[in-house]
Amino acid sequence: MKRRTGIWLLAALGLLLVLLLGLNWAFSLPPTPRYSPLVLAADGSVLHAYLNPTQKWRMKSELADITPALRAAIIEKEDRYFRWHFGVNPVAVVQAAGRNLLGHGRTTGASTITMQVARLLEPKERTFGNKLLEMLRAVQLEAHYSKDEILQLYLNLVPYGGNIEGVKSAALLYFQQPPHYLSLAQTVTLAIIPNRPTSLVLGRDNGRIMQERNRWLRRFGRAKLFPQKDINDALLEPLDAQRHAAPTLAPHLARRLVRQFPREAIIQSTLQRSQQARAEDLTRNYVRRLHELGITQAAVLVVNNRTRQVEAYVGSADFRDFAGQGQNDGITAIRSPGSTLKPFLYALALDRGLVTPKLLLPDVPTNFQGYRPENFDKHCQGEVTLERALAYSLNIPAVRVLQEVGVPTFTEQLRRAGFRSITRNRAQLGLSSILGGCGASLEELTGLYAALANGGRYAELRRVAPRPPAPHSLDVRHPPGKGELNSKQESSRQAPPRPDGRALVSPAAAFLVTDILSQLTRPDLPINATSSLRLPKIAWKTGTSYGRRDAWSIGYNKEYTIGVWVGNFSGQGAPTLTGADVATPLLFDLFNTLAYNSPNNWFAPPAALDFRLVCAETGLVPGENCPNQIIDYFLPNVSSGRRCQHQREVLVSEDGAFAYCRACAPAAGYRRVLYPNLLPEVAAYKEAQGIPYRRLPPHNPQCQLVRGGAERAPNITSPLPNTEYVLDRHEHQQLLLSCTTDSEVRQVHWYVNDQFLRTANATERVFFRPSPGPLKISCADDHGRNVDVQVLITEQ
């Protein structure tokens, strides 16, 4: 009989359990209401807060926000047996029923904290039936969540009047502090409001609230809830609570992160609050001074080189400037980068052994297969060292180096550095990409310069702080949908990127570029900068896009990389808009303000770098005729070992009237003389500019062996071979004929379709009006050497 009774009891319990599970499944808990998205600084303080989808301030409190004082005050006031009941306090229910039925004492509902959570999750009219439903929901909540989680949910949902819900919202909007920073008096103030949110309104009823607060403080004192000294201090504290605006620092990054993580209630960024505030103030005040120049916007990005964390993110000078389109994000906007990619190109060329710092590069008007770049100041210098070409940001040498490195190689490395626009358009990019003929964002450029500061190793910039492992926290319970944080995104937030990153250039090349960019003898030093109180010790590069639409200045030291863009979001240019004069002063201000106390250490040459003697005339390894030598850096086993031949030995007649080749040299009566061995385009430039140099005497006119040879035939630089030229018949346009020749050539003869056109000096530019149709252009020098090109002329 006892055994049968036991079986029936077990069966009944099992049936009850199945029934409860079925009811729990059929009547699942309602989802937690949507919270107000919060973007935090690295220290956990709130940078920016948004209204939730129902236009309420409901900010989520984490378990860490609930201080022992707040926990104790709420439990003592609302439900002192919270820790021991299962959602419903039966003693309180019986007492409340007796009071309500007999009419003795205050009418109450015996609501526990858990029951209040159930009511806040599913607001209903207060009836006896709904009260029973609350009790059932309370038991269900107790079965699903811990006491701490239920208390956390209660503190997130309690009303504080108007559209403010939750302790954290009230603390930030009335006291401008998170809950765990509040004093005991402020904590108790927030604990007593939820029961009377309409009659005790902070900022309006501060006097009555203070009386009620003190009454409860004394009650807590009698209950020995807090030390008496703390109670006495709290009683003396005035109540100065006023409604404040929600925090709005870093609006561009906040909006970006909220869109990236749409289901996250709290997103902790990497921003440093003080850095962000100072960067915003500096940018806003600086742009105000530029308004009269027709410049309305700027963007700033500050990166910690060691962690790759973004510590300040200023997308525009003023987010609320609607006239200046201030809500645009200048950090992600794709703009022409001007000359800012040149340091990276030269670093690639150094790694490939194509150049060294003292190597001389031609800086003369050059036609690169139809592309004719010009320097910013429209002038050429003939020949310049690489370090001068970079420090002075010369365009023509940069295009020449890009041609040697190769556009595909250059764009592939930029793809590895995260340049999205360049990656998409790399098939259409050409030599103009090094002068701003491509698209890049301030974020991409700053990340690239941070790689130079890190010895050439690139790692993605981090905007979201890695989330440390934390205990379970109550949150919305539904499966990830479109746009929600999935497991892959979550892991990317928790695990920081590899600290070493991936190598784009060698540490040696990165150091050489840094050494050049840190020099102060350069034209892009801002006007009056040397007379300022303090120039920061940084390496920096400026850039100005075509039409003076974008001004860039990006700099770095060991600790920080800072990128600055200045311009107009409308794309309107300004006559004074240059990287040197407009962007660099703000860059210097930022370094002097944000990184003033950074360690005063600088980059050291890596062990892979060495010195060697080079010819001062060319920067190459000295040859037989190089008396002037200087010291230059080089990369052993990488840099070219080509020997200098800037002078060549020439056989000339005794009177210096003629030069002989080996074939026509007489048995006697000649001298051996050294002459400059210039590149044809450099010689042509010096000739055209009237720059004196030692020219070879004309070749022996009696020499027959080399006449008609093609070894040193002229090189036609215009027109380009196999090119169609479309001329406007109404504008009487003409075609340019030009060539480069050896230095001993004095005259050239031009022919069109084998008909003589005219004789000209070797460096003279000849113009003529061609007839439509195919043309054969021929050029012959005074040594009888000739060359032909075919072109097509059409008219419209």
Side-chain angles (χ1 to χ4, degrees):
M1 186 68 181
K2 290 182 179 180
R3 182 178 180 183
R4 184 177 299 176
T5 302
I7 292 175
W8 278 107
L9 286 174
L10 288 174
L13 289 173
L15 183 62
L16 179 62
L17 180 62
V18 171
L19 178 63
L20 291 175
L21 290 175
L23 290 172
N24 180 69
W25 176 80
F27 301 96
S28 59
L29 287 171
T32 305
R34 294 289 298 275
Y35 290 108
S36 299
L38 297 181
V39 177
L40 308 184
D43 61 0
S45 62
V46 178
L47 285 172
H48 204 103
Y50 292 91
L51 288 164
N52 76 347
T54 60
Q55 299 302 297
K56 291 184 178 180
W57 292 111
R58 185 189 294 129
M59 305 177 191
K60 183 180 179 183
S61 296
E62 297 283 14
L63 291 173
D65 293 327
I66 305 174
T67 62
L70 178 60
R71 193 187 310 264
I74 287 291
I75 292 175
E76 177 68 19
K77 180 179 180 300
E78 297 292 333
D79 185 4
R80 67 174 60 182
Y81 299 106
F82 173 69
R83 293 292 181 188
W84 292 277
H85 62 65
F86 53 90
V88 178
N89 187 342
V91 176
V93 170
V94 172
Q95 291 176 345
R99 284 195 296 267
N100 296 339
L101 290 174
L102 299 175
H104 297 304
R106 181 170 57 90
T107 300
T108 64
S111 291
T112 64
I113 288 177
T114 313
M115 291 170 63
Q116 293 183 60
V117 170
R119 184 170 62 250
L120 291 168
L121 287 173
E122 293 180 295
K124 291 184 176 66
E125 185 181 353
R126 295 201 175 190
T127 64
F128 179 74
N130 288 338
K131 177 64 71 173
L132 290 177
L133 289 177
E134 277 182 22
M135 292 180 182
L136 293 174
R137 282 295 194 196
V139 174
Q140 191 179 16
L141 283 168
E142 293 280 348
H144 280 78
Y145 304 119
S146 69
K147 291 291 187 180
D148 283 341
E149 290 171 339
I150 293 172
L151 182 62
Q152 177 192 9
L153 191 49
Y154 170 78
L155 292 174
N156 284 332
L157 297 177
V158 289
Y160 281 90
N163 66 341
I164 300 177
E165 293 183 2
V167 169
K168 191 166 192 172
S169 302
L172 284 172
L173 296 178
Y174 285 113
F175 297 115
Q176 295 185 293
Q177 297 286 353
H180 57 281
Y181 272 59
L182 298 180
S183 67
L184 178 60
Q186 293 169 331
T187 298
V188 173
T189 299
L190 294 184
I192 66 174
I193 298 293
N195 294 124
R196 301 165 61 185
T198 57
S199 60
L200 296 179
V201 178
L202 284 166
R204 187 192 71 185
D205 307 312
N206 284 357
R208 281 193 294 161
I209 293 174
M210 188 171 176
Q211 293 176 0
E212 187 71 5
R213 179 202 74 182
N214 290 347
R215 184 174 71 84
W216 276 100
L217 279 169
R218 295 186 185 96
R219 184 170 174 177
F220 292 154
R222 290 192 295 270
K224 306 296 183 183
L225 200 64
F226 306 109
Q228 191 60 45
K229 182 180 182 303
D230 294 346
I231 295 289
N232 294 336
D233 291 341
L235 288 169
L236 297 175
E237 184 175 317
L239 179 59
D240 183 21
Q242 297 295 331
R243 176 70 181 266
H244 299 277
T248 56
L249 276 175
H252 295 89
L253 180 63
R255 182 175 60 180
R256 180 176 178 181
L257 294 181
V258 168
R259 289 175 176 174
Q260 183 179 356
F261 305 112
R263 294 292 181 180
E264 291 283 283
I266 298 176
I267 306 169
Q268 185 163 11
S269 73
T270 59
L271 298 189
Q272 299 292 329
R273 187 182 189 87
S274 60
Q275 304 274 60
Q276 178 69 27
R278 285 184 287 180
E280 287 187 14
D281 289 343
L282 278 172
T283 306
R284 185 184 306 109
N285 294 332
Y286 182 76
V287 170
R288 282 175 183 166
R289 302 196 297 269
L290 299 178
H291 270 273
E292 62 183 19
L293 302 177
I295 302 169
T296 61
Q297 286 298 346
V300 169
L301 191 66
V302 180
V303 175
N304 185 303
N305 292 334
R306 182 179 58 83
T307 62
R308 286 300 200 283
Q309 292 183 350
V310 174
E311 295 193 355
Y313 188 111
V314 184
S316 71
D318 186 354
F319 188 80
R320 293 174 293 276
D321 178 14
F322 294 99
Q325 305 176 41
Q327 294 191 344
N328 289 343
D329 190 346
I331 288 174
T332 59
I334 302 298
R335 317 284 292 187
S336 169
S339 298
T340 55
L341 294 175
K342 289 176 182 175
F344 185 62
L345 169 65
Y346 286 127
L348 292 177
L350 287 163
D351 271 338
R352 281 154 181 76
L354 301 175
V355 293
T356 53
K358 301 294 185 185
L359 179 70
L360 262 68
L361 302 173
D363 179 30
V364 297
T366 308
N367 186 331
F368 296 95
Q369 300 178 346
Y371 178 52
R372 297 179 174 88
E374 291 182 324
N375 292 326
F376 188 76
D377 60 1
K378 310 297 184 183
H379 293 94
C380 296
Q381 301 185 34
E383 290 181 296
V384 294
T385 62
L386 178 143
E387 58 185 1
R388 184 177 178 86
L390 177 54
Y392 281 64
S393 196
L394 301 177
N395 292 339
I396 297 173
V399 174
R400 182 180 294 272
V401 172
L402 179 57
Q403 186 179 48
E404 292 188 47
V405 170
V407 174
T409 300
F410 180 61
T411 55
E412 169 60 20
Q413 291 299 88
L414 291 177
R415 182 197 66 79
R416 296 181 67 234
F419 281 68
R420 293 179 296 277
S421 176
I422 289 178
T423 299
R424 289 193 300 268
N425 304 317
R426 58 188 303 192
Q428 290 79 41
L429 295 179
L431 295 175
S432 65
S433 58
I434 194 58
L435 305 184
C438 57
S441 69
L442 180 62
E443 186 172 50
E444 293 166 346
L445 291 170
T446 306
L448 185 65
Y449 278 70
L452 292 176
N454 193 38
R457 303 195 75 86
Y458 172 80
E460 292 184 6
L461 302 184
R462 297 168 56 193
R463 298 175 295 276
V464 180
R467 177 184 293 173
H472 173 66
S473 177
L474 189 63
D475 205 346
V476 182
R477 294 301 203 273
H478 30 177
K482 182 179 180 181
E484 292 190 41
L485 190 68
N486 56 36
S487 58
K488 183 177 180 180
Q489 289 173 310
E490 182 68 22
S491 63
S492 70
R493 285 193 53 188
Q494 293 185 8
R498 290 174 54 194
D500 57 343
R502 52 180 174 269
L504 298 179
V505 296
S506 70
F511 171 80
L512 291 177
V513 168
T514 299
D515 189 54
I516 296 171
L517 294 181
S518 61
Q519 297 175 8
L520 295 179
T521 305
R522 50 198 289 181
D524 60 351
L525 191 67
I527 298 173
N528 299 325
T530 54
S531 61
S532 64
L533 294 178
R534 184 172 185 267
L535 279 177
K537 175 62 175 176
I538 60 171
W540 87 95
K541 180 72 182 74
T542 61
T544 306
S545 68
Y546 179 78
R548 297 179 183 244
R549 296 183 176 92
D550 308 280
W552 307 85
S553 191
I554 308 173
Y556 57 93
N557 57 18
K558 290 281 285 186
E559 302 300 317
Y560 292 100
T561 298
I562 300 179
V564 171
W565 169 86
V566 180
N568 297 306
F569 286 142
S570 65
Q572 180 68 36
T576 58
L577 191 65
T578 64
D581 296 331
V582 173
T584 301
L586 178 56
L587 178 74
F588 286 0
D589 287 345
L590 288 162
F591 266 105
N592 284 335
T593 302
L594 305 182
Y596 187 83
N597 293 320
S598 60
N600 190 23
N601 55 351
W602 192 244
F603 302 91
L609 206 55
D610 206 346
F611 295 101
R612 69 181 179 187
L613 288 173
V614 296
C615 176
E617 307 296 331
T618 61
L620 295 173
V621 176
E624 296 179 356
N625 303 307
C626 299
N628 300 321
Q629 299 179 13
I630 56 176
I631 295 177
D632 190 17
Y633 281 113
F634 81 109
L635 282 69
N637 302 318
V638 174
S639 299
S640 171
R642 183 161 57 98
R643 291 196 168 271
C644 175
Q645 295 179 344
H646 77 283
Q647 294 188 102
R648 58 172 172 165
E649 185 180 80
V650 179
L651 306 180
V652 297
S653 60
E654 289 286 356
D655 58 2
F658 300 106
Y660 301 111
C661 64
R662 301 292 177 182
C664 68
Y670 64 85
R671 296 181 292 122
R672 299 177 185 271
V673 182
L674 293 176
Y675 279 91
N677 187 22
L678 300 177
L679 292 173
E681 57 266 39
V682 175
Y685 172 76
K686 291 189 174 184
E687 186 74 25
Q689 298 296 316
I691 300 174
Y693 71 100
R694 293 183 62 223
R695 295 195 59 179
L696 281 175
H699 194 71
N700 176 17
Q702 304 301 319
C703 179
Q704 300 295 323
L705 294 180
V706 297
R707 184 173 298 277
E711 296 86 351
R712 295 182 178 177
N715 176 35
I716 296 178
T717 57
S718 179
L720 296 174
N722 305 314
T723 302
E724 179 181 3
Y725 289 85
V726 182
L727 306 181
D728 189 331
R729 63 170 58 92
H730 303 294
E731 294 187 2
H732 304 288
Q733 292 177 315
Q734 294 184 315
L735 190 65
L736 168 66
L737 305 180
S738 63
C739 67
T740 59
T741 64
D742 275 351
S743 57
E744 67 268 19
V745 174
R746 295 294 189 272
Q747 292 182 324
V748 293
H749 312 286
W750 291 100
Y751 298 82
V752 177
N753 288 336
D754 296 324
Q755 299 295 315
F756 177 73
L757 178 66
R758 59 166 291 189
T759 297
N761 293 330
T763 58
E764 185 178 350
R765 294 154 63 90
V766 176
F767 294 89
F768 83 105
R769 174 72 179 181
S771 301
L775 289 184
K776 175 185 177 183
I777 307 294
S778 305
C779 180
D781 63 16
D782 51 14
H783 285 49
R785 300 167 295 199
N786 64 81
V787 65
D788 305 325
V789 297
Q790 299 283 342
V791 298
L792 177 64
I793 304 297
T794 58
E795 286 187 342
Q796 64 177 11

